[in-house]
Amino acid sequence: MSACGRVGWYVGRSAGRSACRSVVRRLVGCAKSTSTTVLLFCRLSVPKTGPYVMCGRLRYVSHNFNRRPLKFTWELEDREALRGIDAFAEMVALK
């Protein structure tokens, strides 16, 4: 995550599959619509058995179809509200 609360998300090899294309189209549609709420859940990579942490709502910033893998950029809308939650602070290295 960047200092301004931006997050990069990459669509991997499954991007060519029908179900994945549908999700990508819906996520791209977030730029023009407020009817879809995108939530971010993460966990630390070590240990991979750790719990997921709800990191809040995402606001669409951009996408790049010319890049492989496909890249979306999102902004954490709830970053300030979540700062005081230890699990979130650890996840985004605020501690």
Side-chain angles (χ1 to χ4, degrees), residues 9-56:
W9 180 71
Y10 300 87
V11 179
R13 296 179 196 179
S14 62
R17 295 188 184 134
S18 175
C20 188
R21 282 194 305 264
S22 174
V23 170
V24 168
R25 277 194 301 274
R26 187 168 179 190
L27 292 174
V28 169
C30 290
K32 300 173 186 165
S33 169
T34 58
S35 65
T36 298
T37 300
V38 180
L39 301 173
L40 178 64
F41 290 83
C42 297
R43 69 177 172 191
L44 296 173
S45 57
V46 177
K48 286 193 175 188
T49 57
Y52 281 89
V53 174
M54 203 291 221
C55 296

Side-chain angles (χ1 to χ4, degrees), residues 55-93:
C55 296
R57 296 171 297 152
L58 296 175
R59 183 183 63 78
Y60 171 89
V61 175
S62 66
H63 67 276
N64 184 346
F65 279 131
N66 296 320
R67 189 179 189 296
R68 295 291 180 253
L70 169 64
K71 180 184 180 184
F72 281 88
T73 301
W74 304 92
E75 185 173 288
L76 287 174
E77 288 191 50
D78 301 315
R79 185 172 185 226
E80 293 305 316
L82 293 167
R83 271 187 183 272
I85 299 172
D86 288 342
F88 176 77
E90 182 181 351
M91 182 69 57
V92 297

